[in-house]
Amino acid sequence: MTDTLLKAVRRYAEVYADPAGVARTPIPGLTTIRATAPSGLDYAISRPLVCLVLQGTKHVTMGNRAFTFRAGDSLLITADVPTVSRITRASIAVPYFSLVLDLDPAVIADLAVEMKAVPIAEGAPVHHEPTDAEVADAALRLIRLIERPASVPVLRTQLVREMHYWLLSGRHGAAIRRLGWPDGHAQRVARAVAVLRAEFTQPLRVARLAAVAGMSPSSFHQHFRTVTSLSPLQFQKQLRLIEARRLMLSDGVTSSSAAFAVGYESVSQFTREYGRMFGLPPVRETKAARGNTQAA
């Protein structure tokens, strides 16, 4: 089944992938990834998703935990958490391919009710398991559906729902279940995270975020760190630094302009925090990236 899925994803990705290797599909939240060489480090605050690795190898770090994913493995992320990832095995002859689906808490909540699934205690937000055959089969039918564009609006909702069902029924079920609990801590924190993502360039007001989550400030701090592995201030800082890095490396913005664009008032503070997170001050990293591009 995974070989058939790999061939289907390869067909789509080789036609539609952008220069970064990302091919978005007509099904919202469904994306294919292709790489023909090992990548640099990718810093992100990931949303809840499942990633099916179909060929090649990817290494993901979250905090002090590290995971290596190979063909046939699934990466599950159940909260907005900071990750550092790198494709470690890919070549022109044997590219890296993966299929990524954003998880929908509303679908999970609806299925959990029908399945009479009970809530579970909070746990680690990143998980690594072999891909269940039923999940791979549902993913294959989603990719095949894309090859018949007229059928996508009619069938995509039920096929995405089916893939969520098999995820809930399989190895990842216990971990994914809490995403669908509307009044659980993960969902309350997710409401605050949505505000942070939308307004990360603005001054942080923890009392407002706590109110959005329906918690006291002290309880909010505790549960925010449990779910995301960061404090609200650290979360905002990483959002700012990741966006500043994108502005400099992708859009050619100067480091000072990037610092002010993401909400910093002090360029020196931005430079210090950037260097701590990415290993090089912003100007040096930008020069190194340009040098690598020219060499390539």
Side-chain angles (χ1 to χ4, degrees), residues 264-286:
Y264 277 89
E265 296 180 357
S266 166
V267 175
S268 61
Q269 180 186 0
F270 166 73
T271 300
R272 287 194 305 272
E273 294 180 352
Y274 190 101
R276 280 198 293 267
M277 181 167 176
F278 299 118
L280 287 174
V283 174
R284 284 179 58 192
E285 189 186 31
T286 302

Side-chain angles (χ1 to χ4, degrees), residues 126-137:
V126 178
H127 302 265
H128 170 209
E129 296 282 356
T131 302
D132 289 308
E134 295 85 357
V135 172
D137 179 61

Side-chain angles (χ1 to χ4, degrees), residues 192-230:
V193 165
V195 174
L196 258 177
R197 283 188 180 275
E199 303 176 16
F200 68 89
T201 64
Q202 304 303 312
L204 179 67
R205 294 181 175 84
V206 174
R208 180 190 171 207
L209 296 176
V212 169
M215 300 177 183
S216 68
S218 60
S219 177
F220 173 70
H221 262 286
Q222 175 188 343
H223 291 298
F224 192 97
R225 184 180 287 277
T226 298
V227 171
T228 68
S229 80
L230 299 172

Side-chain angles (χ1 to χ4, degrees), residues 59-76:
H59 189 76
V60 178
T61 301
M62 189 205 78
N64 59 1
R65 302 184 67 197
F67 309 82
T68 297
F69 301 89
R70 298 177 177 84
D73 289 342
S74 293
L75 160 66
L76 181 76

Side-chain angles (χ1 to χ4, degrees), residues 120-189:
I120 62 168
E122 292 175 352
V126 178
H127 302 265
H128 170 209
E129 296 282 356
T131 302
D132 289 308
E134 295 85 357
V135 172
D137 179 61
L140 175 60
R141 281 182 282 117
L142 276 171
I143 290 296
R144 284 178 169 169
L145 179 66
I146 295 168
E147 296 172 346
R148 299 184 176 185
S151 303
V152 171
V154 180
L155 298 176
R156 71 184 183 192
T157 300
Q158 66 193 61
L159 286 179
V160 168
R161 178 182 171 85
E162 182 186 347
M163 188 160 171
H164 280 73
Y165 171 81
W166 290 119
L167 286 165
L168 272 167
S169 299
R171 293 182 175 95
H172 286 304
I176 200 176
R177 199 176 306 154
R178 67 175 174 272
L179 264 178
W181 223 254
D183 205 37
H185 294 145
Q187 282 297 83
R188 290 186 178 198
V189 168

Side-chain angles (χ1 to χ4, degrees), residues 82-106:
T83 59
V84 182
S85 62
R86 181 172 181 264
I87 294 170
T88 55
R89 181 173 297 175
S91 66
I92 294 175
V94 185
Y96 168 90
F97 286 104
S98 65
L99 181 69
V100 179
L101 176 68
D102 293 341
L103 297 174
D104 188 333

